[in-house]
Amino acid sequence: MGLSHVTPRAREPGQPRATALCDTCGRVETFACPSRGQAEISQKINRIGWALADGRLLCPGCEARRKAMSSAPKPRAKNPSELPPPAPSRAQKREIAELLAAVYDTAAGCYLGCESDATVAAVLGFPERPGWVAQLRQDLFGDNGGNQDIDGLSARMKVLEGQLSTLSEEIAASVQMLEKIRIAVGPAALRRAGQRP
């Protein structure tokens, strides 16, 4: 701690003094201090704005800065989900564009076969970043992230839906006809015909 007590020589006028040296900025201040006790000197420097913090003697200016910094709100650590996703490097962008050129049909406006943004990202070694592929695909190739298998399956599902609708109508008609036949040949019909009592 930069605090010293100076006693004047016998022939020097005045009372004992203490000198304070700021441990942060080096400011020096000398002040009258009639007592030699450390407690009295500490009280005196406190009254004139000096402070002892963490074993360091601070002048009034440095103490004010320390208080301001300690009372300022600490920045909150960002949650990983709040951070923007990292962007692909130039080399990764080139790799994505090259693979997209091979697996994306710009005329049809979709991926070939069963390819997708996710499969391209997985092949290139960053399966957790299909968004990188989607962004470059939209910028350079096309907006549709679907593929031929999806389109083919969608068309097949429409055909099956039509067939199912027709089949449902046929089943309903068959159930009605079967009920009529049961009524026509059942026990009541045999009784009416005199075949059963």
Side-chain angles (χ1 to χ4, degrees):
M1 175 170 69
L3 187 60
S4 60
H5 190 266
V6 179
T7 304
R9 294 191 187 119
R11 294 186 186 165
E12 289 179 345
Q15 56 184 328
R17 295 176 304 279
T19 301
L21 171 66
C22 180
D23 290 328
T24 300
C25 70
R27 175 180 165 184
V28 177
E29 187 170 342
T30 302
F31 50 91
C33 188
S35 172
R36 292 180 176 210
Q38 192 66 29
E40 290 84 2
I41 295 174
S42 294
Q43 288 174 356
K44 176 76 175 188
I45 64 170
N46 285 338
R47 280 196 302 270
I48 61 173
W50 287 69
L52 185 63
D54 300 324
R56 296 180 314 141
L57 185 61
L58 304 176
C59 69
C62 291
E63 172 62 4
R65 280 190 292 280
R66 184 192 68 81
K67 283 183 177 178
M69 289 182 68
S70 65
S71 65
K74 299 203 175 10
R76 182 177 64 90
K78 288 192 174 184
N79 185 340
S81 65
E82 296 173 352
L83 297 172
S89 67
R90 285 183 181 167
Q92 288 170 324
K93 286 180 182 179
R94 281 193 296 274
E95 289 175 347
I96 293 169
E98 287 171 8
L99 189 50
L100 282 172
V103 299
Y104 195 86
D105 184 350
T106 53
C110 66
Y111 278 104
L112 298 171
C114 62
E115 299 298 339
S116 68
D117 297 335
T119 61
V120 170
V123 166
L124 294 176
F126 36 86
E128 70 287 352
R129 302 278 184 225
W132 289 357
V133 178
Q135 186 62 54
L136 275 175
R137 172 187 45 76
Q138 289 172 351
D139 293 345
L140 304 174
F141 293 89
D143 292 331
N144 183 4
N147 59 40
Q148 291 175 336
D149 284 358
I150 291 172
D151 292 344
L153 188 55
S154 295
R156 178 69 180 139
M157 290 293 287
K158 285 180 183 173
V159 170
L160 289 175
E161 283 173 2
Q163 291 175 346
L164 184 58
S165 177
T166 303
L167 189 57
S168 294
E169 290 170 7
E170 289 178 7
I171 290 172
S174 297
V175 167
Q176 287 177 353
M177 186 179 289
L178 181 61
E179 193 57 33
K180 288 179 183 176
I181 293 171
R182 279 193 184 134
I183 291 171
V185 296
L190 291 176
R191 275 196 294 274
R192 281 193 303 267
Q195 298 281 331
R196 282 181 81 175

